[in-house]
Amino acid sequence: MAPSNKPRKPLVADKRYSKPAKPAAKKAVKRKSKPKAAPKKQGGLFGWLKRLIKWVLWTIWSFIWRTGAVITLLIVGSASYYAATLPDMEQLVDGRARGSVTMSDRDGRTFAWRGDQFGGMVTATTVSAHLKNAVVATEDKRFYRHVGVSPRGIASAVRINLREGRGPLSGNGGSTITQQTAKLLCLGVPFDPNKWKSETAYEADCRRTTLWRKVKEAVFALGMEIKYTKDDILTVYLNRAYLGAGSRGFEAAAQRYFSKSAAMVNPAEAAMLAGLLKAPSTLAPTNNLQRSQDRANLVIGLMEQQKYLTPIEASLARATPAELSQAAKRTSGGYFADWVMDSGPEFFTRSTTEDVIIRTTLDQRMQTAAEEALQYIFEEKVREGSKAQAAIVVMSADGAVRAMVGGRAINGTGAFNRATQAKRQAGSTFKPFVYATALDRGYTPEDVVLDEPLCIDIPGSGEWCPKNYAKEFKGQVTLTEAFKDSLNIPAVRISEGLGRERVREIAQGFGIQSDLAAGPALALGASESTLIEMTGAYAGILNGGSSVTPYGLIELRVLGDDTPLMTQTGGIEDRVISREAAQQLTWMMYQTVEAGTGRRARIEGREIAGKTGTTQAARDAWFIGFSGDYVAGVWMGYDDNTPLSGVTGSGLPAEIWHETMRRILQDLPAVPLPMRPSGGAPWSNPPHGSELNRTIPQQPPTQNSDGFEATAENILIDVLRGLLGGN
């Protein structure tokens, strides 16, 4: 069949397998390409500067990030090193190189502290929550949020310092509590006595503020943050911070100022303690309570702002500010405490590495009496502006020192102690030892001696002619009359007649250890001595003729030990003169107060014995005397040896003595003096009871060692005329 010309219908296979027809190619259109724009040239100086600035900035940035990376690695490495070398936290809480001394009075009441007190370890979790909050609020409110260093705090501190005209590192430091703790640890450098002269010098070196030291401090702080928890760091801080008055750590400070544990302080007390961190010595409440309370109010405000206290709690804390405990209020006895420290064993006092407890002989009632008496006389009877000084010592007949005032600065601590350190001419207060020599050799208070002009040739010095204070002579006088009127010539005649060496031996036997004058002026007190030495010598007269060693320490023990390392039960030592001679001398001293130069020392209803003393040109004025149970000595003068104006031992010193002993004896029963006139029976018994620590045995009167049978009057007159050429 002939093929048809009609188009064939595509088969299914054709649809499935046939290739799609290519679309007709579009006619290419030839486009004209745009010519490339030529790059703009930055020509000239501006272009050169721009390229230079870009290069400089790129160089600086490259240097900064590379340097920063290196510094970061160094900081991390150094902090890690510190963290690896730091000991356990418990080993850091008490870093003292020296110990402390706590002193109590004769009744066991604490009155003085020396050295660095450490009250025992406390932790951030055992102290009062108020105390913990007060410290954080005051010193580092972001303490629990930073990593040991606060750039914001440092920047703020620098801004404040510059605004107030200080250097950027002077004044406010911006240090975190961690950084302050690092400084307290001296960046891990221990105290070395070969490098630093003292712990004070060591701490001063640790507190130096330099840029490099601040950097090291920051790195050390980071190391602490790696090693310890926040509460561990705060624990070290709470135990090592200095808080004034010798207190190391908040436990010691709470005990020192409030007599309670740091776990028991209330908000007002916590605020006061935290406020001390700024300036411990200046703000210490024992120095200025009002200033310390004002600072505490600022801390209370910070605690309120930071929500540690409610407004009601803050108002209550302000309305009832912290007050010192009764023990902390006691500011007396500083001179006495210094004397105990100086006279005690060095390894348990001045250089102790232990915490030592010392019970002393101090009687705080008597101490207050002495201080009040001194203040009263200087306020009422000494011209305003006078620079004259005075000192007082009160002791028992066995040498136990009950009170001590070393100068007009009653609260002086570490000050020059005129009672123990000042060596002054004794004047006529030395005369009792001249008369004691005569009485011990058999003479009596009724024997007579010549009071007539006397000149002695002193080899190498020429003729010496002593004079009486009144520049008149009384002829023959009894020993009692010569003594009570403090006549000079009779004292010299007795000393020269009996021999200066015998007088010197008696004086030294009573405890006067200072160098005694070699010439005849020995009898008139030309030698120098201290007030405590002279008062101790008079105690020997009161106790019946035995020497004493003044003492202030009763018991010494280490904190925590029940057994004392040292004890002292009394200071009475060897007999120097017979009891009869001591009682006769006491009778003569009693007459001095009743009718002689010591009349201003009289106390109504009391038997008082004593002796006045005034040195050449009135550079020193003394009164030393005793009742039946206590002996007291008073010295008055200028530190630079300027003569006193119108003052003698019978004047202001006797009045100071009177005011002191009147206060001491006012509530005590009257005790008669152990005295006898001539060779008669004693008028009263010798001192006894609690004030003496051992019984003094009775001894018969000493016989005249030369065996003379003539009367004492003839012996004195004949010997003195023969040896001294008297008329």
Side-chain angles (χ1 to χ4, degrees), residues 227-287:
K227 173 75 173 181
Y228 308 121
T229 67
K230 287 289 187 179
D231 278 350
D232 285 345
I233 294 170
L234 186 57
T235 292
V236 176
Y237 186 69
L238 292 173
N239 283 280
R240 294 191 66 132
Y242 180 68
L243 295 164
S247 302
R248 292 283 178 179
F250 281 84
E251 178 65 17
Q255 296 286 356
R256 173 70 177 88
Y257 300 128
F258 310 128
S259 295
K260 63 172 63 174
S261 169
M264 304 299 295
V265 295
N266 60 36
E269 293 165 341
M272 180 175 286
L273 292 175
L276 299 178
L277 291 165
K278 182 178 179 65
S281 298
T282 302
L283 294 173
T286 48
N287 287 341

Side-chain angles (χ1 to χ4, degrees), residues 23 30 60 84-85 104 178 195 230 282 393 405 427 451 466 489 524 542 618 625 643 652 696 713:
K30 192 175 182 181
I60 292 174
T85 57
S104 62
T178 311
K195 184 176 180 181
K230 287 289 187 179
T282 302
V393 172
V405 182
D451 178 30
I489 294 175
L524 304 184
L542 172 60
L652 290 178
I696 304 173
E713 174 187 345

Side-chain angles (χ1 to χ4, degrees), residues 67 87 137 167 172 181 311 359 370 399 402 407 440 463 520 523 570 590 606 645 656 710 715:
T67 303
N172 289 285
T181 305
R359 188 159 66 91
R402 302 303 184 191
D440 194 53
E463 195 173 56
Y590 169 71
R606 303 279 178 169
S645 178
I656 294 172
I715 292 173

Side-chain angles (χ1 to χ4, degrees), residues 144-156:
Y144 284 97
R145 299 195 298 275
H146 59 61
V147 295
V149 179
S150 175
R152 187 192 308 180
I154 295 173
S156 175

Side-chain angles (χ1 to χ4, degrees), residues 352-379:
T352 181
T353 57
E354 303 286 346
D355 291 317
V356 175
I357 309 296
I358 297 178
R359 188 159 66 91
T360 72
T361 60
L362 184 76
D363 186 308
Q364 293 198 58
R365 185 185 67 83
M366 297 187 193
Q367 179 69 32
T368 300
E371 292 171 354
E372 290 178 350
L374 187 65
Q375 290 177 322
Y376 169 77
I377 293 298
F378 272 89
E379 288 173 1

Side-chain angles (χ1 to χ4, degrees), residues 112 160 219 271 293 368 378 437 449 511 563 595 670 696:
I160 293 172
V219 174
Q293 290 174 338
T368 300
F378 272 89
T437 306
V449 63
T563 304
I696 304 173

